[in-house]
Amino acid sequence: MNLAKAALKLFSANVINAAISFLGIALFARALGASQIGSYFLFVALLGILTVPADFGLRGAVEKRISEGNTPDIVFTTALLLKTVPISLVVVVLIVARGYIAAYLGAGLVGLLIVALFLQEVSRMMISVLKGELRVGETAVLESAQKVCWLLVGGGLVLVGYQVRALVYGLIAGMIVLLVWGWYRSETTFDRPTKTYARNLLSYSKYNSISSIGSLFYSWMDVLVIGIFLTQVHVGAYEVAWRISVAVVLLSEATATAIFPQVSKWNAQNAAAKIERIIPDATTASLALVIPAFFGALLFSRDILRIVFGSEFEIAWLVLIILLLEKVFQAIHMVMGRSLQAIDRPDLAARATMVSIVANLGLNVSFVWAFGLTGAAVATLIAATLSSYLHVRYLERFLTIRVDQSEIGWCIVSALGMVAVLSVVTFYIPIETIPQLGGVITSGAIFYGLFLLLSPSIRSKLTRNMKAAFR
């Protein structure tokens, strides 16, 4: 497996997906307003939280077991059979509680929530199968196709007056595309399920489900709590800031996703030295875009929210800065957490996740009640820091982790140099339009890249990885 090529494909797809999402959210926010798009964000948040009981960690277990070289057809079929139980239970709960859910979402979306949950679980299973087949790079096109479908279908329906339902229909259409295309691309078919494989999958999934809770809590718990204590306008503003912050961990996500099946295979071969060599490079790559984004937000958080999304979203300017600082720690967690799961220790990853979940939930409830939107961001920052620390400590029990502090330090120095240059530029050129904002941000990225390439070590690794990616 060519890790550089797989990571480049995933990163490219992530950039495209982020651009599509950013464009879609910006357009839909202006067309529907903060309240309507806040209702959509609550729908997606609830859908994300329901993924935990509906999946029970089985998607991650499928990727892990197939990547180890097990019989993929039996693994896949057994996993699908196992998933029918938790999905059915969740659907029953949704039907029983449909009145409360409809009141919380602000629209009659319970039926669509059930449909979306089923399609999400089946379509994401196909992505896990492809990753387990060590074809991580091929999932990139599928992810992009899903986003394009959401934008086109959702945008078309918004134009004819469907409001928040338009975005939900677009989301469901994207899931259908992902399912059909993923099934077509996969080499895995059906086979007779066995009790042995069921036990094997469940032994991994019960811990992996807890790790999944952690990632979903970071993505959606603060939004759900804001929906309880504040208004849908606050939900919309906060989630827009969150979506912007998520864009900066695209490279981190691509790196962690690309190394998981390869580290899993090396672990099965007892090749610990290879794993120890790849983690430092993966960590540096994971932080390369997050660090300058945080420093850039110190200058432009207000401008981004006001100019791109509208003045009512500007209330989240401090939230955006805090969330971008949180992404520094999340970037570390992505690499360390996936590595810990890949060496077949999901139990320790689950333990670290449970601690951070309790902290995240408790802090979110108390901080949102006391400090509003900013409190939610601070709670997420603290929980992310704790999670990263625990994952690193647990991974160090099995591997020698030597992060290249000089390279990470140079990323910080380069980011500070970028901020110094942009401060001078914005002193003479006021930012009032989207083209001006885009031009300044692009200039900042160029200056950061130039400063970064002054490091011989980073320049050498970048050249080597680019050659491998295009080989």
Side-chain angles (χ1 to χ4, degrees):
M1 178 180 175
N2 188 327
L3 290 177
K5 180 175 290 187
L8 179 61
K9 285 184 177 180
L10 286 173
F11 176 61
S12 300
N14 286 345
V15 170
I16 294 173
N17 294 343
I20 295 171
S21 296
F22 192 84
L23 175 62
I25 294 300
L27 293 175
F28 296 147
R30 288 181 173 274
L32 301 177
S35 179
Q36 282 286 312
I37 202 162
S39 180
Y40 170 72
F41 288 146
L42 286 176
F43 178 91
V44 178
L46 188 56
L47 178 63
I49 293 298
L50 290 174
T51 291
V52 177
D55 178 56
F56 195 66
L58 284 168
R59 293 201 305 265
V62 166
E63 180 181 352
K64 170 64 177 171
R65 297 312 181 203
I66 292 179
S67 69
E68 291 175 337
N70 292 314
T71 308
D73 297 345
I74 300 178
V75 170
F76 174 55
T77 309
T78 304
L80 284 180
L81 184 62
L82 289 173
K83 280 183 72 68
T84 60
V85 176
I87 291 177
S88 299
L89 292 175
V90 172
V91 169
V92 170
V93 172
L94 290 176
I95 293 174
V96 172
R98 59 186 179 276
Y100 298 101
I101 296 173
Y104 178 72
L105 293 178
L109 299 172
V110 180
L112 292 176
L113 184 64
I114 294 173
V115 174
L117 178 65
F118 174 78
L119 289 173
Q120 175 180 261
E121 291 308 303
V122 180
S123 61
R124 300 308 301 182
M125 178 67 79
M126 299 312 307
I127 294 295
S128 297
V129 170
L130 288 171
K131 290 178 179 178
E133 293 173 349
L134 300 185
R135 299 162 62 195
V136 177
E138 295 186 32
T139 65
V141 179
L142 278 69
E143 302 277 6
S144 298
Q146 181 186 17
K147 293 292 185 182
V148 170
C149 186
W150 167 75
L151 178 61
L152 294 179
V153 174
L157 292 177
V158 164
L159 292 177
V160 296
Y162 273 75
Q163 295 188 325
V164 67
R165 285 178 174 269
L167 307 188
V168 175
Y169 288 139
L171 184 68
I172 291 174
M175 293 175 182
I176 295 173
V177 170
L178 188 64
L179 171 60
V180 174
W181 200 346
W183 173 259
Y184 173 76
R185 296 295 301 170
S186 173
E187 297 175 355
T188 301
T189 58
F190 295 109
D191 203 339
R192 184 176 180 178
T194 68
K195 292 182 179 179
T196 300
Y197 275 87
R199 287 192 294 267
N200 188 271
L201 286 167
L202 290 174
S203 68
Y204 187 92
S205 70
K206 63 184 179 183
Y207 296 113
N208 186 60
S209 63
I210 299 177
S211 297
S212 300
I213 292 174
S215 62
L216 289 168
F217 260 62
Y218 289 134
S219 299
W220 298 117
M221 182 48 61
D222 41 9
V223 172
L224 293 174
V225 173
I226 292 170
I228 295 173
F229 288 101
L230 304 176
T231 68
Q232 291 182 348
V233 173
H234 290 93
V235 171
Y238 185 92
E239 182 60 18
V240 163
W242 176 269
R243 294 293 180 102
I244 296 171
S245 72
V246 167
V248 309
V249 290
L250 297 179
L251 183 57
S252 310
E253 182 181 353
T255 302
T257 302
I259 68 172
F260 176 85
Q262 186 63 74
V263 170
S264 175
K265 186 174 183 179
W266 282 339
N267 181 69
Q269 298 171 347
N270 296 316
K274 292 183 178 180
I275 301 175
E276 291 173 346
R277 285 196 297 269
I278 197 175
I279 288 178
D281 290 346
T283 303
T284 301
S286 185
L287 290 168
L289 296 184
V290 182
I291 291 173
F294 164 69
F295 285 102
L298 298 176
L299 294 177
F300 302 120
S301 64
R302 284 183 180 272
D303 295 324
I304 292 172
L305 292 169
R306 173 177 54 84
I307 295 174
V308 178
F309 297 96
S311 58
E312 61 182 337
F313 293 91
E314 195 175 349
I315 59 174
W317 71 271
L318 183 56
V319 167
L320 178 56
I321 294 174
I322 297 171
L323 289 178
L324 285 170
L325 178 58
E326 177 265 336
K327 290 299 179 288
V328 174
F329 297 97
Q330 186 183 352
I332 298 172
H333 162 258
M334 283 182 172
V335 173
M336 302 301 173
R338 292 294 280 169
S339 298
L340 191 60
Q341 292 175 324
I343 63 172
D344 211 15
R345 292 311 306 262
D347 55 328
L348 295 178
R351 185 184 303 174
T353 300
M354 281 304 300
V355 174
S356 62
I357 284 174
V358 173
N360 194 11
L361 179 58
L363 291 172
N364 255 296
V365 172
S366 57
F367 282 20
V368 169
W369 178 77
F371 306 110
L373 289 183
T374 304
V378 172
T380 302
L381 169 62
I382 295 172
T385 305
L386 177 61
S387 178
S388 300
Y389 171 77
L390 292 175
H391 278 89
V392 171
R393 290 298 300 271
Y394 287 144
L395 189 61
E396 287 178 334
R397 293 184 180 181
F398 310 97
L399 301 169
T400 301
I401 308 299
R402 296 188 181 92
V403 176
D404 196 326
Q405 297 180 3
S406 63
E407 290 184 350
I408 296 175
W410 187 252
C411 290
I412 296 174
V413 171
S414 299
L416 291 173
M418 173 197 73
V419 169
V421 173
L422 292 181
S423 297
V424 174
V425 171
T426 54
F427 180 79
Y428 293 100
I429 304 176
I431 301 175
E432 298 295 338
T433 65
I434 291 180
Q436 288 175 336
L437 179 63
V440 171
I441 292 176
T442 302
S443 300
I446 294 172
F447 279 113
Y448 173 72
L450 293 175
F451 288 137
L452 205 62
L453 291 176
L454 293 177
S455 167
S457 174
I458 294 177
R459 187 170 62 249
S460 174
K461 289 181 180 180
L462 180 62
T463 302
R464 183 172 66 250
N465 286 327
M466 293 303 292
K467 288 181 178 178
F470 291 102
R471 185 177 300 143

